[in-house]
Amino acid sequence: MKHIKKFSGLALITAGAVVLAGCSAGGAAEGNGEAAELESLSIMAPYLVTNAPADGNEVLAALEDIAGVELDITWVPNSSYLDKTNITLAGDDIPQVMIIQGKDPGFVRNAEAGAFWDLTDYLDDYPNLKTTFPEVQHAASVNGKVYGIFRARDVMRAAVIIRKDWLANVGLETPETTEDLYEVAKAFTEQDPDGNGADDTYGLIIPKWPGAIGSNSPYDVIETWFGAGNRWTERDGELVPSFTTDEWLDAVEYEKELVDGGYVNPDYTTFDSATWNEPFLNGKGGIIIDVHSRAGQLMNLLKESDPDGFDQYVDIAGNLTGPDGELHAHPTTGYSGFLAIPKTNVRTEAELRAVLEVLDKLNSAEAGPILNNGIEGETYTLDGDLAVAVDDAPQELKDAVLSYSQLGMNVTGFQGYLPQQATEYEQEMYDKRKQIEASDTEHAVYDEAAAYVSQTYVSKGAQLDVIVSDARIQYIAGQIDLDGLKDAVALWRSSGGDDIIAEINELSSQN
């Protein structure tokens, strides 16, 4: 393959972290908006399947036809991708585009040192890179500067998954509010929803959560519903952690009332999240607050055990209206890493624009179905506007599609065909999920500090947050009282939390 000229490396490794010396953004073409000639584009990307795509495969050929250049992709196993990223940046063979999987401290230091192009003022010049999700792009930025084109993921995934047959048996409707949820959980515990005459059911199924505050646990979702914000929120002109608000305390009190009433599985402090589905399937618990795709998992499992009646068990609701009468929907970050452009091998603005032109084509309506569905007639066929998977497609081709999907950006919305479901009921439930997702996204409560990187939080924030998440569980379990919970928040603040708040607000004021 042909390549444009490669330049010398720019990296130093110090104290186990990659620190890159910045290059000038200048060049003969700087400021004139013109693009250089580009014959090939080198990219480093992870693959999550067993084998990387073979050279010359059909997916690559189709993408190169659209891009107008050869795509020289270095595939790296996902399990070793971070290590490979650091090694590559420390060497002298740096690609023009790198998939960066997150805002880890090494990337943040490199970006702020000038090792990657700041794309903030460039992306709007390209119709397929000008995002329709500005909140997500801001969240993916580093202190307000966009160092990569984010890889979009579903913004809205939170859902209430509920036993439809139990709802019918207790004469209640799918919940719409947090008050409704409480009443359903109570009825599922007290009114023998499975009709076996035994006191052996409960409402909510909550596992021991492996993450701290702000890790999308059922508790975090409920707290957003109550108006506490999503990790960080604004109060009186200042960004503050959600757990410093009165609404958060109200939500935790609600969670405690659910536990005190016996409306949650009694082993919620030890229950393994890997077996989260089992009480729902076995008729012990009736409600799960999690991502909406779990509803599809449950339906598939029920279909295996009861192929004739599996459509009687599962219903879903979206985010629930809180006590204030407002819908505060709990979103994801909306992205999974981004495509960043190192300055080592893209030295001038003209070269940058040439790279961006290719990436713009790779995020077009023509490229989207290839990245998301594969090759029409070989990996999928169309039934209307829905993709029907070709089951006997070669495995290596199906694996290739999964690998090339890692290049997908979708910053203007999903570029591809949604999958057709196996049965009418499953299609109905999938369509309902998508409708809920679209509606709830209009009420998404984004983390207002997601863009900002507090150095104190980088060094000890994760340890500090455990102080609050542990205290939350202790309060819900009755091991400490309300003053003890408030004391834990005060300990978080005095142990470095106040420094984090100050740093976040200083960064916010600069953007």
Side-chain angles (χ1 to χ4, degrees), residues 56-72:
N57 64 80
E58 292 179 69
V59 180
L60 176 62
L63 291 173
E64 287 181 332
D65 284 344
I66 293 170
V69 299
E70 294 179 345
L71 300 176
D72 181 9

Side-chain angles (χ1 to χ4, degrees), residues 13 17 22 42 245 393 418 441 460 466-467 505:
I13 297 182
S42 56
T245 67
L418 295 176
T441 298
K460 56 182 180 181
V466 172
I467 295 173
N505 280 278

Side-chain angles (χ1 to χ4, degrees), residues 207-220:
K208 178 182 180 181
W209 201 254
I213 293 289
S215 57
N216 300 315
S217 71
Y219 307 110
D220 297 320

Side-chain angles (χ1 to χ4, degrees), residues 58 375-381 388-399:
E58 292 179 69
I375 307 298
E376 186 176 359
E378 297 190 41
T379 59
Y380 74 97
T381 58
V388 181
V390 175
D391 292 334
D392 59 355
Q395 188 62 45
E396 61 270 20
L397 185 56
K398 292 191 285 187
D399 287 349

